[in-house]
Amino acid sequence: MGKPAWMEEEQERAEDLKRSGATVNNTAPKLARVTRAPKRMQKAFYIQNIHAQAFEKLVFNQKMKKGKKAPDLAEEAIELLLSKYKEKL
């Protein structure tokens, strides 16, 4: 047995609204799209304990200030290294 007629009508109405971009209640708040972080890749390399601790401290301090997160800080460090050695990203 297929869908009842009212369900087909509602589905068709929803598709029309989706295509037009309109809503039933234009005064209702709309969900904002969340911008996602760029796709990242995990890299495994070993660093000295003193460097790891300093990095973790930096990440913690930034977290307390609502600053950058660890991946962003690591990317910034890589960009600084590339700049220092005149390499391109």
Side-chain angles (χ1 to χ4, degrees), residues 32-51:
R33 294 264 180 212
V34 176
T35 55
R36 303 274 181 213
K39 188 173 180 177
R40 291 196 162 101
M41 164 188 271
Q42 194 172 26
K43 299 298 286 177
F45 54 89
Y46 296 95
I47 58 175
Q48 295 176 36
N49 197 27
I50 192 169
H51 295 108

Side-chain angles (χ1 to χ4, degrees), residues 41-77:
M41 164 188 271
Q42 194 172 26
K43 299 298 286 177
F45 54 89
Y46 296 95
I47 58 175
Q48 295 176 36
N49 197 27
I50 192 169
H51 295 108
Q53 289 175 349
F55 184 73
E56 291 302 320
K57 184 178 177 186
L58 174 64
V59 170
F60 178 75
N61 290 336
Q62 286 296 305
K63 184 177 183 179
M64 292 296 105
K65 294 179 189 176
K66 304 279 189 227
K68 293 183 178 182
K69 298 189 183 311
D72 296 318
L73 291 168
E75 288 171 351
E76 186 177 340

